[in-house]
Amino acid sequence: MENPFSLAGKNIIVTGASSGIGRQTAVSCSQMGARVVLIARNTEQLNMTLSMMQSPESHLVYSLDLADLDGMETVIKDIVGKTGKLHGLVNAAGISTTLPLKLISNEKLEEFFKTNVYSAIQMSRLFTKQVNVSTEGGSVIFFSSVMGIVGESGKTLYSLTKGALVSATKSLALEFASKKIRFNAVSPGVVVTPMSQNAVYSKDEESLNRIIALHPLGLGMPVDISNACVYLLSDASRWVTGSNLVIDGGYTAR
Ligand SMILES: NC(=O)c1ccc[n+]([C@@H]2O[C@H](COP(=O)([O-])OP(=O)(O)OC[C@H]3O[C@@H](n4cnc5c(N)ncnc54)[C@H](OP(=O)(O)O)[C@@H]3O)[C@@H](O)[C@H]2O)c1
């Protein structure tokens, strides 16, 4: 029997592949047979991810600042020239912060929206072009967060960007359903990665324990999220679009 979760024969772009969840997603996709295109800024860390993947020679690495929206079109053209048409896009690149409202300057808003939202929209715009996407359709994943659903003091800026992605998922799912291009969001709770390890709540034991206690199943590991990405990229989820898959160890169950 064919494995419905197999990614064999699929070309998949993973942004944020130099660290944390994006890195693990690239590794998991390679283990499921995909050819993966790894994107982030840090070349050394991207190559580290490559060395962790199955069949490292069959994947591609692009060092790119996703906040530079103009640079992407040439890169996607180059990618498709090398891999052929694309089947999946995982927008895992993102930045986080904890800031009170008085410190959320317009510059900060621009930086966060560029990195977390505009880049994912620009990548999606390019992915969905007829010349770039497989004739069989494709699957796009946006990385939201439980902070796109519920709040936490100081999380306004991050939440703004993550909520925007959940909203975009639904309308894009409807816009592209006839082309068999599916759009879904994943919303993790706190996952152990450099992002969460550098967060203010990880600076002292008391704050960290408070965060851990908010997750009935404890904190997540990158593979808990990458397995969900494999599902959403595979044909096993062919009837799933416009959804927001919450993977949070029970954080939002209360
Ligand atoms: N960890 C959590 O607890 C958690 C919870 C909910 C949601 N999320 C979301 O999950 C996603 C992955 O998070 P993570 O924890 O894996 O974070 P991470 O370890 O900090 O990794 C973030 C990735 O984004 C890339 N990135 C950031 N700015 C970029 C830019 N301007 N251009 C290109 N790449 C850029 C980084 O690469 P370079 O620095 O090499 O460019 C890195 O690969 C994010 O969208 C995050 O918001 C995380």
Side-chain angles (χ1 to χ4, degrees):
M1 183 194 140
E2 223 173 88
N3 180 356
F5 298 92
S6 167
L7 299 178
K10 293 193 192 289
N11 298 320
I12 293 167
I13 296 179
V14 179
T15 74
S18 63
S19 178
I21 298 170
R23 166 174 280 167
Q24 184 56 49
T25 300
V27 172
S28 297
C29 287
S30 77
Q31 289 166 344
M32 295 307 286
R35 184 180 202 185
V36 186
V37 181
L38 291 73
I39 297 179
R41 289 165 301 187
N42 189 320
T43 313
E44 203 178 313
Q45 290 302 319
L46 283 169
N47 285 328
M48 173 79 85
T49 304
L50 194 60
S51 72
M52 297 161 70
M53 294 169 72
Q54 198 152 306
S55 315
E57 66 291 344
S58 56
H59 312 292
L60 299 174
V61 165
Y62 285 83
S63 170
L64 183 67
D65 183 350
L66 290 163
D68 173 15
L69 302 172
D70 297 333
M72 289 183 202
E73 184 150 19
T74 344
V75 172
I76 298 290
K77 200 172 171 192
D78 193 66
I79 291 169
V80 174
K82 288 183 176 139
T83 62
K85 288 193 173 184
L86 305 166
H87 304 86
L89 167 64
V90 182
N91 294 291
I95 50 175
S96 177
T97 190
T98 306
L99 277 183
L101 180 60
K102 65 179 175 198
L103 294 183
I104 303 177
S105 61
N106 289 338
E107 288 73 27
K108 277 275 164 217
L109 274 168
E110 194 178 328
E111 179 196 349
F112 270 73
F113 268 91
K114 266 192 177 166
T115 309
N116 289 1
V117 183
Y118 299 175
S119 70
I121 295 299
Q122 170 74 337
M123 286 298 283
S124 304
R125 193 184 289 128
L126 296 168
F127 176 87
T128 51
K129 275 186 156 183
Q130 211 179 342
V131 286
N132 295 331
V133 70
S134 162
T135 46
E136 294 149 33
S139 169
V140 179
I141 301 175
F142 287 142
F143 261 77
S144 184
S145 160
V146 290
M147 288 301 119
I149 307 167
V150 295
E152 186 73 59
S153 177
K155 281 293 172 192
T156 307
L157 181 54
Y158 185 64
S159 295
L160 271 169
T161 64
K162 294 303 179 182
L165 291 168
V166 174
S167 298
T169 301
K170 296 173 194 167
S171 291
L172 286 168
L174 297 175
E175 185 174 337
F176 286 96
S178 63
K179 296 195 169 125
K180 299 261 180 294
I181 305 173
R182 300 181 291 108
F183 281 81
N184 292 287
V186 291
S187 289
V190 173
V191 178
V192 180
T193 70
M195 180 181 280
S196 58
Q197 286 165 328
N198 292 326
V200 281
Y201 54 75
S202 295
K203 302 281 183 239
D204 68 89
E205 211 178 318
E206 198 186 323
S207 310
L208 183 60
N209 285 338
R210 189 184 67 83
I211 293 293
I212 295 171
L214 290 171
H215 297 75
L217 292 180
L219 300 187
M221 297 308 288
V223 75
D224 296 321
I225 312 301
S226 69
N227 284 338
C229 291
V230 167
Y231 165 66
L232 289 173
L233 290 164
S234 74
D235 297 342
S237 63
R238 64 181 192 172
W239 205 48
V240 181
T241 196
S243 74
N244 178 21
L245 186 47
V246 179
I247 313 159
D248 66 355
Y251 186 101
T252 53
R254 295 194 170 80

